Amino acid sequence: MAVGYLLMAFAVPNSLYIGSMVVGVCYGVRLAITVPTASELFGLKYYGLIYNILILNLPLGSFLFSGLLAGFLYDAEATPTPGGGNTCVGAHCYRLIFLVMALASIIGVGLDILLAYRTKDIYAKIHASKKAKKSGSSLS
């Protein structure tokens, strides 16, 4: 996702289209893996609640990044018009917004790697117990 945002930030030819496709695919993958992630990490007892908390970041992030941050940074880049509004034309209008979103994506990847590292031993134990149970039942 960070690659898509960086493509859009640097405004090379056709980067808006390519970057939008990359970010869209990443959002789709993220939604697809939320279901098994919620059940694997937290179990099924309170699955509905946990799943909704995990996908709460989509509307919350849209509001914070697109609604507040993008509007504030666009207004900072724009020039006032005689009619009382602001206008901005060109790639520089949204460059900082795309860079901030790329940084947020990179931080997210870092947190994902930290989670994978912290749960590595737990999954190794689960895999070993399943392997032992499977080999024990086949010997009987």
Side-chain angles (χ1 to χ4, degrees):
M1 194 175 284
V3 170
Y5 286 130
L6 289 174
L7 277 171
M8 291 187 278
F10 295 128
V12 294
N14 295 322
S15 63
L16 182 63
Y17 304 116
I18 297 168
S20 297
M21 286 187 281
V22 169
V23 170
V25 167
C26 291
Y27 267 114
V29 168
R30 189 243 178 260
L31 281 173
I33 66 171
T34 300
V35 174
T37 301
S39 64
E40 281 282 323
L41 291 177
F42 305 107
L44 296 174
K45 186 171 183 182
Y46 299 106
Y47 177 76
L49 174 68
I50 291 168
Y51 176 76
N52 284 324
I53 289 172
L54 286 175
I55 65 167
L56 178 66
N57 67 1
L58 296 175
L60 186 63
S62 292
F63 172 69
L64 292 176
F65 282 107
S66 299
L68 296 179
L69 182 66
F72 176 74
L73 292 176
Y74 178 85
D75 287 341
E77 290 288 329
T79 56
T81 58
N86 292 334
T87 186
C88 188
V89 177
H92 71 281
C93 301
Y94 291 101
R95 179 170 290 130
L96 186 57
I97 298 162
F98 289 136
L99 291 175
V100 168
M101 293 182 72
L103 179 65
S105 298
I106 291 169
I107 290 170
V109 167
L111 292 173
D112 286 342
I113 291 170
L114 178 67
L115 177 67
Y117 178 75
R118 291 189 62 178
T119 58
K120 181 175 65 170
D121 294 336
I122 296 168
Y123 280 108
K125 288 177 186 176
I126 291 170
H127 182 67
S129 70
K130 284 184 179 181
K131 192 174 184 180
K133 187 183 280 188
K134 188 175 183 180
S135 66
S137 65
S138 64
L139 293 176
S140 308

